[in-house]
Amino acid sequence: MRGEYDAYQELLDEVSALLGAPATLEDRDFRLIAFGAHDSDDSVTDPVRTRSILTRRSTAEVRAWFERFGIARATGPVRIPAAPDAGVLLTRLCLPVRHRGIVHGYVWLLDSAEHTPPQLNAAMEVAARIGAALAAEAEAEAAPSRALAALLTGERSDLPPEVLDLAGPHTLVCVTPWAAAQPGARTVPGAAALCVLPAAAAVPHAPSAPRAIALAALIRLRSATVLSPARTAAARLLEAVRADGATAGISAPRIGPTELPDAWREASGAARAAHAQPRLGPVAQWPSIGPYRLLTALPAEADPAVGPLLAHPDLARTAEVYLDHAGQAGRTAAALGIHRQTLYYRLTRVEQLTGLDLGEGEDRLLLHMALKAARL
């Protein structure tokens, strides 16, 4: 990591020397990669540059302002005027960092001077070298993610599992639904690889699952008994996705690639359990979800006997609360806030709709399992 930073720093210093101005390098998501030294005089900086250096990234507002000038499409230098209202006190010169037609980042210079075409061409040649380095780094980072996706979906891949570097204990984190771009592994603490998968890969037996998607994160562990890196990563990912109802699940620790499909089944099952039972979430660990370890393995389709009941949410809720309270009418009526006679009437309707006898243990077991599974 340090060697890569030094290489970018050297290239950035080369641009600064060519154009005689302090420079910064950001990736295409406006995350700071390197910055050049500048004179201590306050006249060579402004709030936007200071914030970028201190926080390692620019705000969404700053990004939107600069992108208005077409920097993502530009193939040559773009001069951006000062905008005091946006905190941009000084004129910027932006050198798009591209490789094979794809923008990988931007070199920024606080510079209002006019430069000759040879100077700008030389600076763009350096920017192209930076682009090639960023592209190679992105490809190297993508390889583990592609290998992980192939292992979890069973698809063929030309990448060996060894690219995942699974020498020590690790675990899988599932976040679903995932409604954001796939983050880089370096943005998530402890992550060895991340990949986005279709919902069907996270919900066994449900090829017609909703069009949500799930994020899989392979997390390295210092010890098979310490899952704190996985919990930290799960919390960071939930904060990043900011989707209503998003939950995360963590598998039991594993060693080696062959157990990753089972780990994914556990992680996705725990995430679904956290969604079905809020007290388990928003981050649930597979060993801690109790009966949901069995329920997540059930087919997604409702049992035929229980299907008609699910069309009546109030009755289904009554039956679930009744079974949760071990069939004790007084506790159930109190939990639902209804009279006992109303409870007895509803339970009679439940038996009529399902054809089940709530006095029979196996019928109660079937109904309870089916209602819990329906939440998944």
Side-chain angles (χ1 to χ4, degrees):
M1 181 70 176
R2 181 66 187 173
E4 292 173 355
Y5 172 82
D6 288 344
Y8 291 129
Q9 191 66 58
E10 290 177 5
L11 291 168
L12 194 63
D13 291 343
E14 190 174 339
V15 173
S16 293
L18 284 168
L19 299 180
T24 57
L25 172 62
E26 293 180 333
D27 68 13
R28 59 186 166 200
D29 293 319
F30 285 64
R31 288 187 292 261
L32 185 69
I33 298 174
F35 63 93
H38 58 76
D39 193 295
S40 60
D41 185 347
D42 288 342
S43 66
V44 297
T45 190
D46 63 13
V48 168
R49 186 177 196 269
T50 301
R51 178 185 174 88
S52 174
I53 293 173
L54 293 178
T55 66
R56 311 297 296 182
R57 69 180 306 145
S58 296
T59 65
E61 293 77 15
V62 168
R63 176 176 179 170
W65 167 259
F66 286 127
E67 287 181 338
R68 286 175 54 190
F69 294 89
I71 59 174
R73 301 182 301 275
T75 57
V78 178
R79 192 170 295 280
I80 300 174
D85 291 344
V88 182
L89 305 182
L90 301 172
T91 300
R92 294 295 201 281
L93 181 65
C94 175
L95 308 182
V97 175
R98 309 183 77 90
H99 181 69
R100 295 181 178 175
I102 298 174
V103 64
H104 289 274
Y106 307 98
V107 171
W108 298 96
L109 299 103
L110 298 176
D111 187 16
S112 59
E114 293 297 328
H115 298 289
T116 65
Q119 286 177 308
L120 293 175
N121 290 339
M124 285 302 298
E125 288 177 3
V126 180
R129 285 153 55 197
I130 296 174
L134 286 174
E137 184 181 335
E139 176 61 25
E141 185 175 319
S145 296
R146 297 200 337 258
L148 178 63
L151 280 171
L152 299 186
T153 60
E155 296 177 354
R156 297 185 61 182
S157 172
D158 56 351
L159 294 169
E162 288 75 17
V163 303
L164 290 172
D165 187 20
L166 300 176
H170 51 271
T171 187
L172 275 174
V173 171
C174 171
V175 179
T176 187
W178 184 259
Q182 178 175 312
R186 291 184 180 179
T187 66
V188 181
L194 300 100
C195 63
V196 173
L197 301 174
V203 185
H205 317 298
S208 59
R211 294 181 180 178
I213 55 178
L215 179 83
L218 181 66
I219 307 298
R220 302 184 189 92
L221 301 176
R222 295 183 292 272
S223 165
T225 61
V226 179
L227 287 176
S228 53
R231 290 192 292 269
T232 299
R236 177 74 62 85
L237 289 167
L238 284 175
E239 181 181 352
V241 70
R242 294 179 180 178
D244 291 339
T247 55
I250 302 173
S251 75
R254 294 296 201 284
I255 294 179
T258 58
E259 296 186 48
L260 283 181
D262 286 339
W264 178 239
R265 176 182 57 80
E266 294 175 0
S268 58
R272 293 167 59 210
H275 177 75
Q277 182 55 269
R279 66 176 174 79
L280 296 174
V283 179
Q285 297 175 203
W286 174 256
S288 303
I289 62 174
Y292 285 96
R293 292 197 297 272
L294 297 176
L295 294 172
T296 55
L298 296 177
E301 296 81 9
D303 185 89
V306 182
L309 176 62
L310 297 178
H312 301 270
D314 287 344
L315 293 179
R317 173 64 178 157
T318 297
E320 185 176 0
V321 174
Y322 175 72
L323 294 168
D324 285 345
H325 288 84
Q328 297 181 33
R331 292 176 59 200
T332 303
L336 292 171
I338 60 177
H339 194 276
R340 279 200 187 199
Q341 288 304 119
T342 302
L343 172 64
Y344 294 140
Y345 169 75
R346 290 186 182 181
L347 294 177
T348 298
R349 289 283 294 129
V350 168
E351 290 183 323
Q352 292 172 346
L353 286 168
T354 62
L356 299 175
D357 182 353
L358 294 180
E360 292 291 333
E362 290 189 356
D363 282 5
R364 291 199 303 273
L365 175 62
L366 171 61
L367 180 58
H368 207 181
M369 290 178 64
L371 289 171
K372 294 297 185 185
R375 289 178 173 272
L376 297 171

